[in-house]
Amino acid sequence: MSLRNLSVRALLFLGICQVGRRGLASAPELKEPPKKIAVIGGGIGGTAAAYFLRQEFGASVKIDVFEAQAVGGRLATENINGHNYEIGGSVIHPLNLHMKQFVDRLGLSTRAVVPSKMAIFDGKELAFEESDWYIVNFLRMLWRYGLNSLRMHMWVEGILDKFMRIYQYQQFGYSFSSVERLLHAMGGDSFLTLLNQTLEEAMLADGFSQVFINDIVTPISRVNYGQSVRLSAFAGAVSLAGADSGLWAVDGGNKRVCLGLLYHSKAELIQAKVTTISMKMRPSKSGTAANFYEVNYIGDSGPAHSLYDIVIIATPLHQGLSNISFSGFSPSLPSNFPGQFHQTVATLVLGQLNISYLGTTQKPADFVVSDILTTENEVLAINSLSSLDPIQIPLDYRRPPASESKVWKIFSQKPLSKEQLQEIFVSWEGVWEKRWLAYPSYSPPQRRMPSFILHDRLFYLNSIEWAASCMEMSAISARNLALLAHHRWHDQTAKIDQEDLHTRIRGEL
């Protein structure tokens, strides 16, 4: 992606921010805002939701964010020998405009870039090793795969260009009640088709070679989603975008964004586990009955509950990950929606790499590859192997060569045994393991995803990750739900689930 294209898109985004605000400023008079809103989940989705809800509803509403663990959710770090390293979500795409806006608004900075080199391991040897010279890499790819590599970037860019319409729609205040309606507004039937075919099927249909898919596309999907090219084509396209140049991270750790959003939202953090959400009726000032949501939770002081006008659930309601039960709803709501999350085990090892494991004859002191992807191979226990840099890069920092002990991150589907670690490393000083249910198993055809609206003013943010999972998708869903909650509270149905938005927005311009 060229810097010129990126800057033009960013300028367009900033421009429509101003126009969109003017359009919303001329909206009809609104009724009294809600008194209390609950957000369940303190990851990037939940904290972004609190931030956007504050923008939509103003200073008077009380916003509570419930989080039983550390704020940040799947954005997490591990301290090793006095330095912190990302063990959760680690990179952000240059076109993730919400994340860019958050970093600017919160006064954070991007992490210093350390040059890296990539290689692909087939279980026996390094089948491809990146050169320091761009022209060498280009000619190698051209010789092996023809124009497949260039066409892949164009294919992904075409999908991203359509999906980026969401920023314009959101700045004009439009929201969607379901993931399917949101995707259809961005890319029409073609986006829904991408949900219901595999990445392999979609790319073969577009003329990509099977060899290119096996050698290049599969390693990318394995490192980013831990799954093969038989994952859904839409999630696969998001995965391939994660191989673009210009990826960045937040200096001091990506979870700082969550902490900053929570602070700027002026929400109260309640460190507790939510157990039940119940529908309650209470008399209103007008004499009619009003609906409220009773959130029951358990914290350090024991069980408690509180009533809310609006509730946003920003934690997975699948596979027993939250175990929130629902009471008093008609029709009833399930505690767990169908669908499975895919396990990825992140293992951090402080040790010296055994480069003979990779089938290379290079000397350890000369081996400077930092990111090793893998092809699909039954004998391989790992999906990827990467040299990690600390979340704060010192001015005099240099990445140590493989001859020295340093921190490596391994992604695998199962925990690694001592014997497997002994194959990969000459020696190690410490091992840190984190088992993540980080994203869904994307197995087309896609079953119908849960609606963003579970009940009148009860919303489900994490529905969007059944299309694709990343930090920006959570932020987009958070913005969508803040708008959706606002429009439903004020009966602004003209801003929900509208088709032909290009025409509508041209009219507003």
Side-chain angles (χ1 to χ4, degrees):
M1 191 67 65
S2 71
L3 291 176
R4 179 180 177 276
N5 287 343
L6 176 56
S7 61
V8 169
R9 285 174 175 148
L11 287 172
L12 173 63
F13 175 62
L14 293 174
I16 61 178
C17 283
Q18 300 305 318
V19 176
R21 290 188 182 111
R22 288 198 296 272
L24 290 174
S26 60
E29 185 177 348
L30 304 177
K31 68 180 186 182
E32 184 179 340
K35 298 290 191 298
K36 294 178 66 179
I37 300 176
V39 177
I40 301 171
I44 185 63
T47 54
Y51 175 81
F52 287 130
L53 286 164
R54 180 64 69 199
Q55 289 184 341
E56 293 301 317
F57 287 107
S60 63
V61 63
K62 185 180 189 303
I63 301 175
D64 292 336
V65 174
F66 291 86
E67 176 54 63
Q69 306 297 324
V71 171
R74 285 172 267 183
L75 305 185
T77 59
E78 186 72 52
N79 185 280
I80 300 176
N81 281 9
H83 296 283
N84 287 308
Y85 298 85
E86 298 280 11
I87 198 169
S90 56
V91 293
I92 304 166
H93 194 276
L95 295 180
N96 288 171
L97 298 188
H98 281 316
M99 291 299 294
K100 288 172 68 71
Q101 184 189 45
F102 292 158
V103 168
D104 292 342
R105 175 70 178 85
L106 302 176
L108 302 175
S109 58
T110 59
R111 195 176 307 163
V113 176
V114 181
S116 61
K117 288 181 66 176
M118 182 272 293
I120 296 175
F121 180 48
D122 64 7
K124 295 181 179 179
E125 61 183 0
L126 296 180
F128 177 83
E129 185 173 342
E130 195 174 22
S131 168
D132 291 328
W133 298 90
Y134 170 79
I135 188 63
V136 173
N137 294 322
F138 177 78
L139 291 174
R140 282 179 182 171
M141 296 297 286
L142 186 65
W143 174 258
R144 290 190 186 188
Y145 308 110
L147 295 175
N148 276 264
S149 180
L150 180 61
R151 289 184 60 242
M152 181 185 75
H153 289 289
M154 294 172 63
W155 186 75
V156 172
E157 186 172 336
I159 294 171
L160 288 180
D161 282 344
K162 290 180 180 178
F163 188 73
M164 286 186 72
R165 295 170 181 168
I166 189 62
Y167 299 114
Q168 188 177 15
Y169 297 161
Q170 289 187 340
Q171 284 304 320
F172 277 87
Y174 290 101
S175 61
F176 302 92
S177 63
S178 71
V179 179
E180 290 89 350
R181 285 181 177 271
L182 184 152
L183 292 178
H184 191 268
M186 303 306 112
D189 291 341
S190 65
F191 269 21
L192 300 184
T193 299
L194 291 175
L195 290 175
N196 291 292
Q197 62 182 164
T198 68
L199 178 61
E200 184 176 44
E201 290 168 344
M203 296 190 77
L204 286 173
D206 279 344
F208 292 92
S209 74
Q210 186 70 62
V211 172
F212 177 75
I213 292 171
N214 293 344
D215 291 357
I216 302 299
V217 178
T218 296
I220 295 172
S221 66
R222 282 168 60 82
V223 68
N224 287 327
Y225 278 136
Q227 299 169 58
S228 74
V229 288
R230 290 177 290 281
L231 82 172
S232 77
F234 187 84
V238 173
S239 172
L240 292 176
D244 281 351
S245 60
L247 301 178
W248 58 281
V250 178
D251 189 40
N254 294 327
K255 70 178 181 181
R256 292 185 67 196
V257 175
C258 301
L259 295 166
L261 291 172
L262 185 64
Y263 174 81
H264 280 269
S265 73
K266 296 181 171 58
E268 180 181 350
L269 175 64
I270 299 177
Q271 301 249 232
K273 177 176 174 52
V274 172
T275 56
T276 307
I277 300 174
S278 303
M279 186 73 190
K280 298 294 182 181
M281 304 284 289
R282 294 287 187 273
S284 66
K285 292 180 180 178
S286 62
T288 59
N291 293 333
F292 293 91
Y293 300 103
E294 182 181 85
V295 175
N296 292 267
Y297 55 94
I298 299 175
D300 291 339
S301 301
H305 65 269
S306 189
L307 292 178
Y308 295 93
D309 299 294
I310 296 171
V311 175
I312 308 287
I313 299 175
T315 185
L317 294 177
H318 291 77
Q319 206 171 325
L321 292 175
S322 298
N323 282 327
I324 298 172
S325 61
F326 299 91
S327 173
F329 293 91
S330 181
S332 60
L333 295 176
S335 295
N336 293 291
F337 286 97
Q340 295 292 311
F341 270 67
H342 180 87
Q343 176 174 272
T344 288
V345 181
T347 305
L348 302 190
V349 179
L350 175 59
Q352 183 181 344
L353 184 67
N354 174 19
I355 64 168
S356 64
Y357 169 77
L358 302 171
T360 179
T361 58
Q362 294 183 51
K363 295 179 180 179
D366 298 330
F367 187 79
V368 292
V369 171
S370 55
D371 298 291
I372 301 156
L373 283 56
T374 63
T375 59
E376 196 166 24
N377 188 321
E378 290 182 358
V379 303
L380 274 174
I382 67 172
N383 290 345
S384 64
L385 172 66
S386 300
S387 173
L388 276 195
D389 301 310
I391 61 175
Q392 288 180 306
I393 307 296
L395 290 176
D396 59 348
Y397 178 79
R398 69 170 184 89
R399 183 180 288 135
S403 57
E404 299 178 21
S405 181
K406 58 179 176 176
V407 177
W408 294 86
K409 178 164 71 174
I410 304 172
F411 283 148
S412 59
Q413 295 191 31
K414 298 178 180 179
L416 297 175
S417 66
K418 182 178 179 181
E419 290 72 25
Q420 288 169 325
L421 289 173
Q422 286 173 336
E423 284 186 68
I424 302 171
F425 295 94
V426 175
S427 62
W428 63 81
E429 300 166 44
V431 177
W432 296 259
E433 179 187 275
K434 179 67 177 180
R435 303 182 189 187
W436 293 107
L437 291 174
Y439 23 70
S441 291
Y442 296 110
S443 302
Q446 174 67 55
R447 62 169 55 88
R448 185 173 180 82
M449 290 171 269
S451 173
F452 286 129
I453 305 170
L454 298 182
H455 189 258
D456 183 24
R457 288 171 277 109
L458 175 64
F459 303 95
Y460 183 36
L461 185 147
N462 288 60
S463 180
I464 202 165
E465 66 182 334
W466 289 88
S469 179
C470 65
M471 289 178 252
E472 187 71 4
M473 292 293 280
S474 293
I476 286 169
S477 187
R479 178 72 171 134
N480 179 67
L481 290 201
L483 290 167
L484 187 60
H486 181 271
H487 298 333
R488 287 176 66 86
W489 181 264
H490 294 292
D491 299 319
Q492 295 176 326
T493 56
K495 288 288 189 178
I496 303 173
D497 289 337
Q498 297 300 315
E499 294 289 337
D500 196 22
L501 286 175
H502 293 298
T503 303
R504 290 174 177 269
I505 288 176
R506 279 198 298 269
E508 292 188 37
L509 281 169

